[in-house]
Amino acid sequence: MDNLMAAFDMFFQFHVIIGVFVGVFLGIILGSIPGLTATMAIALIIPMTFTLDPVVSVGLLVGAYKGGNYGGSIPAILLNTPGTPAASATLLDGHELAKQGKSLKALKMAIYASVMGDTLSDMVLILVAPPLAIIALKMGPPEMAALIFLSLLIITTVSGESMIKGLIVGAIGLVVGTIGLDSVTAVRRFGFGFPELDEGISLVPMLIGLFAVSEFLINTESVGMGKVVQFFARSSKPEDNRVSGKEFKACVPPILLSTGIGTLLGAIPGIGPSIAAFAGYAQAKKISKHPERFGKGALEGVAAAESGNNAVCGANLIPLLTLGIPGDIGAAVLLGAFMIQGLHPGPMLFQENIVTVYAIFMALMLANVFNYCIGIFYIRFASKVVLIPKGYIFPAVLAFCFFGAYGFNQSLFDVWIVVIFGLLGYLLRRNGFPLAPLLIAFMLEPILEGAFRQSLLMSGGSMAIFFTHPISGTFLGLTAVGIVWMVIGGVRNARAKAKKPLV
Amino acid sequence: MVKFNRDTIAGSIMLVFSLILAFIITPNQVEMHRSVALLALSPRLFCYITAGLLGLTSAILIIASFKKGQEADAQPTSWEPLLRGLFCTALACAYAALAGIIGFFVSTALAMTAFLFYFGVRRWAGILLFLIVVLGFIYVLFIQALKVVMPDGLLY
């Protein structure tokens, strides 16, 4: 109770509340601009948080994460272009509604569903995280190494279209993670004569390069090739511009179902909001009395897609806060922000910084309130913002990337890190490699390596320690089952493709 | 004639890199600690493990891409988008290099003008307004609020 009161004191301060507000505001605006994802929004905001208190900083970033996830639905509905990949399912019905002149109705339903999905998922996080952290505390180095190994396998295999490409990118992330002084012997690894590399690759420049600069470079390819966007005029009938009580009531079951699915999938590392949105959408269609309306402007479709993708936000923080394992790119970027602020997510966070954790929970809930308030106000003039020409947006993004990266350590070396990882991210994305495993593997490498080597020290060099400890043995068993399942799935897919007649 | 698809090329590059990493870079860039007797204490242990993992997965990608055959390359690929991306990467490199020579703000103004032109903005009034707003915001945020000390350049 004392901790809760202390958290109240820490949280209910003017600058903290303003921080959450600004985060949500920036997140919604940046997320609503096609091409700027929620992750990119966080990456661009991180440099602004260097000098802020941890709670303000995390509140700002959590707000941006949630706002960005919701903001993506706005261009999906208005322009048939998802602002973020997570909003891809929203456009199926959202844009159809816009074509019928019901864009405001769709935008309102999107915000109701987003906020409901987000809030329920946050409640699950608040209830589940503390007991899970207590269990996690009982894990030693072999268990931790096995768990990270299992998580990395899941993340790398489900994050892209190709499992093997996910694994390759994960391996690259681990390689990049080995750069810097060895934590056990203090021997320099891959320094190449640059003392700046002694502490390893800086996280902020790396993620700015990987996500923001690569996005910039991808967009430079399509200059002059942009598709013509068409706005559909809003209907003047009041009933087409609001969600009636009856319509809202009809959307409650798909929202609850999709939130449940999103929360469950979000708690599993690697399954991002896009998968949750489509899974929620598909299930909502199944339980609907009018499945034939889906894809033709069903309000339940918008509700299911939005509640599904937003429910991932809170659930994603369960493995992050309790185990230190980020569930998706957004959570990985948040993990970086936590670390910059001296907070190390994992079971010890609940022991050493419980007051801060409670304050973060409060920030999450307040971000939902702001998400609703700002969103409901913003949708009235969002059509102006989503049409800002890319020609102005992307040069400004690049400038913020460079200044942000420089400002982190006040080193031009970091600007070069941005350029190098921007190019790497661009080339990987062009060839169908997902970026999430690279970032997550990079961030987990020190923990994995530390736990792995500690385990070997404990056992005198014997690998048997990973199999003789029951929990780590179970994790490794699950990993083996996962690999076998992947191989069987891959073979089946290949056979199915081979059987398809070539037309 | 053997026709390589993108995955074969990407996998081959990764495989070659993993071999270079394991056999050239790691032995040259990671010293062996004199006191290391146990494998677990070796600073090279994880470097070899990760290089091996990269090599193994790259080899699997190459094999899988060969099995896939030429179906992936049924459509002709255009080099133009890639060249555009690489051209902009070169511009970004020039921006980063100039930042340390002539100063961050001046190089930003030059780079932004170049990119605005690249993205098709031709109105000088628009470019000027854009530069004033963006550079003004960056100045207020980074110099005034965050107290970031910019590198010394010939100009500013």
Side-chain angles (χ1 to χ4, degrees):
Chain A
M1 198 62 194
D2 289 345
N3 288 334
L4 205 59
M5 292 310 292
F8 267 110
D9 282 346
M10 185 187 265
F11 180 72
F12 282 101
Q13 294 182 46
F14 182 70
H15 62 291
V16 178
I17 292 169
I18 287 292
V20 179
F21 180 87
V22 171
V24 175
F25 180 73
L26 290 175
I28 291 180
I29 291 184
L30 293 176
S32 71
I33 297 170
L36 300 189
T37 61
T39 313
M40 194 171 175
I42 303 174
L44 289 174
I45 291 169
I46 282 184
M48 301 178 197
T49 65
F50 299 153
T51 54
L52 300 176
D53 291 340
V55 179
V56 186
S57 160
V58 173
L60 188 84
L61 294 164
V62 160
Y65 182 41
K66 284 170 177 279
N69 245 4
Y70 161 66
S73 69
I74 296 171
I77 292 168
L78 294 176
L79 307 177
N80 202 23
T81 305
T84 61
S88 302
T90 309
L91 65 81
L92 298 175
D93 284 289
H95 190 62
E96 288 301 316
L97 283 164
K99 278 183 183 172
Q100 297 161 22
K102 297 175 185 171
S103 59
L104 204 56
K105 186 195 278 274
L107 287 168
K108 282 182 180 171
M109 193 65 242
I111 188 121
Y112 299 153
S114 298
V115 173
M116 279 178 76
D118 227 339
T119 308
L120 291 171
S121 149
D122 287 347
M123 283 177 179
V124 173
L125 162 74
I126 292 166
L127 292 173
V128 168
L132 199 62
I134 294 170
I135 298 169
L137 265 178
K138 296 193 166 88
M139 295 201 301
E143 287 81 9
M144 205 60 204
L147 175 66
I148 292 176
F149 197 65
L150 173 64
S151 306
L152 278 179
L153 183 81
I154 299 171
I155 291 164
T156 51
T157 49
V158 300
S159 56
E161 285 175 12
S162 158
M163 288 183 287
I164 195 66
K165 285 184 177 177
L167 286 168
I168 288 177
V169 169
I172 295 174
L174 290 176
V175 169
V176 177
T178 57
I179 296 172
L181 290 182
D182 174 37
S183 58
V184 179
T185 56
V187 164
R188 185 174 288 159
R189 299 195 294 195
F190 308 124
F192 299 100
F194 294 105
E196 291 92 340
L197 287 176
D198 282 357
E199 288 180 24
I201 299 281
S202 291
L203 177 70
V204 172
M206 180 186 165
L207 70 90
I208 288 176
L210 271 182
F211 295 101
V213 174
S214 73
E215 187 71 50
F216 167 81
L217 292 172
I218 292 275
N219 276 279
T220 59
E221 288 189 354
S222 57
V223 172
M225 292 187 271
K227 66 174 182 181
V228 178
V229 292
Q230 188 182 358
F231 258 129
F232 294 93
R234 271 183 205 155
S235 160
S236 55
K237 292 180 193 165
E239 65 268 24
D240 285 345
N241 289 315
R242 63 181 169 83
V243 178
S244 68
K246 197 179 162 193
E247 286 171 326
F248 183 77
K249 209 174 152 189
C251 287
V252 170
I255 289 176
L256 293 178
L257 177 68
S258 201
T259 299
I261 292 169
T263 306
L264 197 69
L265 294 179
I268 302 168
I271 301 179
S274 308
I275 297 170
F278 278 105
Y281 181 85
Q283 291 307 314
K285 190 177 176 181
K286 272 187 187 169
I287 62 156
S288 172
K289 286 175 187 164
H290 302 285
E292 73 284 355
R293 287 187 197 162
F294 276 66
K296 293 170 189 161
L299 209 53
E300 293 115 297
V302 176
E306 275 304 294
S307 51
N309 81 40
N310 279 273
V312 172
C313 288
N316 242 326
L317 299 183
I318 296 174
L320 176 70
L321 291 179
T322 56
L323 304 167
I325 296 170
D328 75 347
I329 311 172
V333 177
L334 279 178
L335 172 62
F338 275 93
M339 286 156 72
I340 290 164
Q341 293 294 336
L343 301 169
H344 294 276
M348 290 309 288
L349 185 70
F350 285 78
Q351 296 286 307
E352 293 165 355
N353 299 91
I354 187 68
V355 175
T356 310
V357 171
Y358 284 152
I360 290 168
F361 287 161
M362 290 171 197
L364 287 171
M365 297 309 269
L366 187 70
N368 295 334
V369 177
F370 284 148
N371 212 351
Y372 176 80
C373 298
I374 298 170
I376 210 78
F377 173 72
Y378 177 68
I379 54 178
R380 294 189 176 277
F381 60 93
S383 54
K384 306 278 187 296
V385 177
V386 296
L387 282 181
I388 294 177
K390 277 184 181 181
Y392 287 101
I393 297 284
F394 284 102
V397 164
L398 188 71
F400 280 109
C401 289
F402 276 32
F403 274 91
Y406 174 81
F408 183 56
N409 285 323
Q410 309 205 1
S411 156
L412 278 173
F413 186 81
D414 284 346
V415 177
W416 284 106
I417 296 285
V418 168
V419 176
I420 291 165
F421 278 94
L423 180 62
L424 177 69
Y426 166 66
L427 293 174
L428 288 173
R429 287 176 66 177
R430 272 200 110 251
N431 290 291
F433 290 87
L435 294 185
L438 197 159
L439 180 68
I440 295 173
F442 166 75
M443 295 177 89
L444 292 180
E445 193 280 335
I447 311 170
L448 176 63
E449 185 178 1
F452 184 79
R453 290 167 74 183
Q454 270 181 23
S455 306
L456 288 184
L457 278 173
M458 282 162 64
S459 67
S462 168
M463 295 285 278
I465 190 169
F466 295 107
F467 303 97
T468 50
H469 282 228
I471 298 175
S472 66
T474 308
F475 287 144
L476 289 179
L478 286 172
T479 308
V481 169
I483 292 170
V484 171
W485 179 67
M486 274 160 44
V487 171
I488 291 172
V491 171
R492 274 187 187 163
N493 280 345
R495 280 185 185 162
K497 275 185 184 172
K499 275 184 186 171
K500 265 189 188 172
L502 288 170
V503 183
Chain B
M1 196 180 93
V2 181
K3 196 176 177 185
F4 296 109
N5 65 27
R6 277 178 162 194
D7 286 356
T8 318
I9 297 167
S12 305
I13 293 171
M14 306 277 189
L15 182 62
V16 170
F17 173 70
S18 69
L19 292 173
I20 293 172
L21 184 67
F23 295 107
I24 299 172
I25 302 178
T26 301
N28 285 304
Q29 290 291 327
V30 185
E31 287 173 34
M32 277 303 284
H33 206 265
R34 271 167 290 167
S35 63
V36 172
L38 261 175
L39 176 75
L41 285 176
S42 168
R44 287 184 185 173
L45 173 68
F46 233 66
C47 305
Y48 284 128
I49 290 175
T50 51
L53 196 62
L54 181 61
L56 180 71
T57 48
S58 304
I60 296 172
L61 180 67
I62 295 169
I63 295 165
S65 67
F66 271 129
K67 279 191 174 175
K68 236 196 275 177
Q70 273 97 35
E71 63 185 77
D73 278 351
Q75 290 179 332
T77 47
S78 166
W79 286 93
E80 200 199 331
L82 177 65
L83 292 176
R84 281 168 179 253
L86 294 178
F87 171 73
C88 287
T89 308
L91 270 183
C93 287
Y95 173 22
L98 282 174
I101 301 168
I102 60 171
F104 226 133
F105 276 90
V106 180
S107 62
T108 301
L110 289 174
M112 292 306 99
T113 308
F115 279 118
L116 284 167
F117 251 77
Y118 177 83
F119 278 102
V121 180
R122 294 287 183 272
R123 286 174 51 226
W124 280 104
I127 293 173
L128 202 63
L129 186 68
F130 171 87
L131 290 178
I132 291 168
V133 171
V134 171
L135 291 177
F137 181 74
I138 286 173
Y139 181 81
V140 170
L141 179 68
F142 288 96
I143 310 283
Q144 298 293 322
L146 299 176
K147 310 282 181 214
V148 173
V149 180
M150 287 294 153
D152 293 327
L154 291 174
L155 300 168
Y156 185 76

